Structures are given as C-alpha cells and as structure tokens.
Amino acid sequence: MSRPGELAAARPRLAVAAGPPPAAFAQWLTELAFAGTGWPELLAALAERAGTACRLVAETGELLAASDGADGPRCAAAPDDVRRALVARDARRPVPGGRAGGAGVPGGVPTSVRCADGWTGRAVAVGTGSRRLGALLLAEPVTAGQLAFAGAATTALLIEAVRHESPPPAVRDAATVLRALRDGLGDPAGSPPGPTGGEAGLLRSGETGPSPAGGTGLLRSGEAELLRAGAAHGWRLDQPHAVAGIAYTGAQQRRWASALSWLDRPVLAEGRRAWTLLHGDVEREVTRLRVRLDQIVGAGQVRVVAGSLVTGPARTAVSFRDADRLLRLLLRSSDERPELPFGQAGLAQVLLAVPDERLRWFVHRHLGPIAHRDDLLRTLDCWLATGGSRQAVSERLHLHRNSVGYRVGLIKRLLGVDPLDPQTVAVLRTALAARELLAASEAG
C-alpha cells in the first residue's frame, strides 16, 4: 500500500465530469476503500481535494489517522467535543414520519473539535444509523464546499472501518430473530404454542440452537417473547410491518457484505440475498434501501421487494413468504426493474394467497393446450398487452406480421376462445400471471 505522500502520483486523476464533484469524489473514494486503501491514504486524498488538512478521530477522542502527519495521544481530540459533534449529527436526522429529504431537528450546524496539540477542526460525524465511528475533522477555517467533500468521504471511511472490527453481536442476534419469524409460530389463525423451558432460556440469553422442530431456538417461541426480541432491534412487531427481500446480482461478494453491514438496520444475510423488516411508508423504505446499497455496490446490481403488510409476529412468516416469491419473480423479470413492493405487484397481490395446487389447476384449465409452447405463450402475452395489435406484437417479438397472425389463429383454435373477448382477456391474463409466479417459485 502506498504512503500518503505517494498517493497523488500513484492514483488516476479524478474525473468530476461524471456527476456533481462531491458525488463523483465519493464514488472514487469508495472504489479505493474496497481496493484495500487505508484511512491515511483516504484522508490524504480528501486533503488534496478539499485543499485543507484533515484528521479522523474515534468517539473516545483517539486519533485514528491524519493527513498532516499528526500521531499519538498528544494529538487526540477532546472526547466532550467529539460527543457534541455526534449529538449534532443526530439532531440533523429527519424527524420520524416526516417527508423524505425533509429538514431535520434544528441545531445541526457542524461543531468545532480541539485536539490536545492545539489543532482545531470542524467536525463531520462518521456513522450510520446507531453505529458511530467518530468524527472527521477539517482544519479551520472551512467553507461549505469543503464540508461537502468531507461528507462525501464518510462512506469510504466506514468501509475501511469494517476491516477494523468484528460484526457486532446485536446483528447476529437480529438474524436469529428474523429466522424465527420466517419459520413461523404455526397456524397464524390459531393459538401458537409456547416455548419450552430450554427455548425460553435460549431466547433470553440471545443464543441459538436446535429446537425440536429442527429450526433455531426461537422457532417455537411464543408471541410475547418474539415481540420483546424484535423490540430489542427496533422492530415493533405489534405494529404494521413488512419483510424486505434484497438480492445482489453483481460479482463482488466482499463489497456486498460490506454494504449490508453498513445499512441502518440489522439484516439476515444469506449469500446473495438478505432480509430485513420495514415499518411506515414501505414503498419509500424499499427505494431508500436500494439507493443506499446502490451507492456502495454500484447502480443496477440490487433488487429489492417487500412482502405484504402484516401485524403481529405470527403473521410475519406470511410476509416473508410473499417477499421470497416476489424476489424470485423480480429476478426472472425481463424489464429489469429494480423494485417490486407488494403494493405494486398487480395480480400477484391476489395470487400469492392462492395455494399452488389451485394455481396449477387454473393454469392447466385455461392454458393447458399451449402450456408446452413458449412461443405461443409469449405471443399471447404480447397480444393481450398490446390490445391485439399485430404490428406491435411483430415489433416486440421480431416476427413478420403474417407470422403473428398465424400464431394468434393457432392460439384461438387450441384454446377454443377469442383472446380479445373482454371476459376471456381477464382469465388469460390471470392464468399467465399465475404461470409466471409458479415458474418463479419452482426455479429456486
């Protein structure tokens, strides 16, 4: 790894034309962090771009890195000053329930922090959610533009912080709770069985272990225990909530794992997929999750869905099931849309509640004669979507108009119905949607 003084000569020039300068700088620093660049080199890059010296201090005041050669306890920051900077960061958070991008609580002006050697810097808090690394200090006096570049550097500093710590136990415990919620409490409409003495002990201690049903120690825990366990991680399971399913389609697993670790909520990570719970405006939260992950792993590599809105831990398994099937459906989709919250799932909103055997019967009843003909199924789908426009179907499927006419005629003969009859259209659309949902579920 290069020394701070060598970074400017070794690295490529920053191309700010790709977007606003701070945004382009943030993306470039993030790439450096994922490549293994440490705090000293990241601060050297920031100092060069902002035109001023900078230091990174922990919440305790310990000096973690500096661009000006400072080192050791003699350059540590006053802990009270750092705490004030972090409190100011919390004050700038949006008011819960407010609009996205709305103003935070008053009092969010960056504060000054004084170090033991007399050096003074303006503080930009480095943290996400309830996790705090410390403060990034820019030598005073500073401008608003310099502070903007400091804010753009925080994600890269957090990524490097992951290599300096092990995953917090709270995150592992939250994954245990999510697994238990997914496994369910039995029949949501009935009375869920209570936990055995050993299982209740596992829940209280935060440990995991096998249960008689073969799941985690929380598998057969009662609702009251799961309510308490969820509340410990900020989840109000007695209030409306939905399960979010997240999928990563890129190839950099290390980057994906780092991105998940710096979300503002705990997740259950399983390879390229992850799960968490959402409250409030679920569709807005889905977008916020995707945008945050896109900033770290790169745009277009994350898909996010949300299951149905449910209340009570006994119903969370239903939302888990919906989110899992919607995520599979989204990953199979040809339009590459990045999000699919339950409220935008169309016919799937109804079909998800129908047993698979009933869906198979319905598909066989209305599409059976052409079920083995993917070409005819695609033609029928396009024919219905375009209102029976031979020209539009021809352009979509890259077929001659006469070929479209032949296929539609064959569909009519095999199915024995007119694909443009209003009543038939509704039935065929539903059958096609059911077939796609079954295919997505069976794909694994």
Side-chain angles (χ1 to χ4, degrees):
M1 185 177 293
S2 62
R3 293 187 294 274
E6 299 173 341
L7 183 66
R11 64 179 173 83
R13 300 288 296 174
L14 174 65
V16 300
F25 181 67
Q27 183 63 37
W28 182 74
L29 270 193
T30 298
E31 296 290 341
L32 286 182
F34 277 119
T37 302
W39 283 328
E41 290 86 354
L42 295 174
L43 291 187
L46 172 61
E48 179 183 339
R49 189 67 182 87
T52 188
C54 51
R55 296 180 179 182
L56 179 65
V57 296
E59 190 173 2
T60 60
E62 176 190 0
L63 180 67
L64 301 176
S67 70
D68 59 354
D71 189 27
R74 64 183 181 82
C75 299
D80 288 344
D81 286 355
V82 178
R83 281 192 287 270
R84 278 194 293 272
L86 296 175
V87 169
R89 186 283 298 260
D90 292 339
R92 291 195 295 276
R93 288 179 178 171
V95 180
R99 293 175 300 175
V105 178
V109 177
T111 59
S112 296
V113 173
R114 184 178 180 82
C115 296
D117 60 351
W119 189 90
T120 302
R122 192 70 59 86
V124 174
V126 182
T128 180
S130 61
R131 301 180 66 183
R132 297 169 169 175
L133 172 61
L136 173 60
L137 311 179
L138 292 187
E140 293 187 313
V142 297
T143 66
Q146 289 172 320
L147 288 173
F149 280 106
T154 58
T155 296
L157 297 173
L158 289 172
I159 291 170
E160 171 60 14
V162 173
R163 287 191 281 272
H164 292 258
E165 63 177 20
S166 59
V171 173
R172 294 195 293 270
D173 293 345
T176 300
V177 177
L178 286 169
R179 289 191 189 97
L181 291 168
R182 180 174 61 186
D183 291 336
L185 294 165
D187 181 5
S191 300
T196 65
E199 289 163 351
L202 284 171
L203 179 59
R204 286 192 294 272
S205 68
E207 298 174 356
T208 62
S211 71
T216 67
L218 295 178
L219 178 59
R220 290 297 176 185
S221 299
E223 288 197 50
E225 285 79 6
L226 280 174
L227 283 170
R228 285 194 292 270
H233 302 288
W235 297 320
R236 289 293 307 274
L237 300 176
D238 59 337
Q239 300 294 322
H241 60 278
V243 173
I246 312 166
Y248 174 58
T249 61
Q252 301 187 49
Q253 284 290 104
R254 179 180 176 185
R255 177 173 296 198
W256 168 239
S258 294
L260 290 177
S261 71
W262 285 107
L263 287 177
D264 61 354
R265 67 193 72 220
V267 301
L268 168 59
E270 297 177 322
R272 293 176 175 272
R273 298 185 185 182
W275 313 91
T276 188
L277 299 184
L278 305 177
H279 290 280
D281 187 337
V282 171
E283 293 188 8
R284 186 180 71 178
E285 288 298 296
V286 164
T287 298
R288 195 168 72 85
L289 264 180
R290 179 185 59 78
V291 169
R292 174 60 177 162
L293 291 168
D294 276 352
Q295 291 173 343
I296 300 178
V297 303
Q301 301 182 72
V302 174
R303 304 287 184 269
V304 184
V305 304
S308 52
L309 201 64
V310 296
T311 301
R315 297 291 301 172
T316 307
V318 174
S319 190
F320 253 112
R321 183 200 65 193
D322 292 345
D324 177 68
R325 299 186 75 175
L326 287 177
L327 191 58
R328 296 168 188 263
L329 191 65
L330 184 60
L331 290 171
R332 280 177 55 90
S333 175
S334 59
D335 58 11
E336 297 185 355
R337 52 181 167 172
E339 302 171 7
L340 185 58
F342 185 83
Q344 299 176 15
L347 282 171
Q349 293 173 276
V350 176
L351 297 177
L352 283 168
V354 179
D356 283 357
E357 58 270 22
R358 180 63 63 87
L359 292 180
R360 292 190 186 95
W361 176 88
F362 189 83
V363 171
H364 178 74
R365 171 68 179 79
H366 298 285
L367 296 177
I370 64 170
H372 62 291
R373 294 285 302 271
D374 287 342
D375 57 337
L376 296 184
L377 289 168
R378 287 195 302 271
T379 302
L380 176 60
D381 191 26
C382 288
W383 184 258
L384 297 175
T386 60
S389 170
R390 186 178 298 193
Q391 181 62 36
V393 174
S394 172
E395 293 172 355
R396 286 193 183 192
L397 298 182
H398 307 290
L399 293 172
H400 192 278
R401 285 169 53 90
N402 291 343
S403 297
V404 173
Y406 170 77
R407 287 189 181 184
V408 172
L410 184 57
I411 290 170
K412 287 181 179 181
R413 289 195 300 274
L414 291 174
L415 296 184
V417 296
D418 180 1
L420 288 183
D421 176 77
Q423 291 185 345
T424 303
V425 167
V427 171
L428 293 178
R429 282 187 181 278
T430 304
L432 287 169
R435 180 182 179 275
E436 187 62 25
L437 184 61
L438 286 169
S441 300
E442 293 164 0

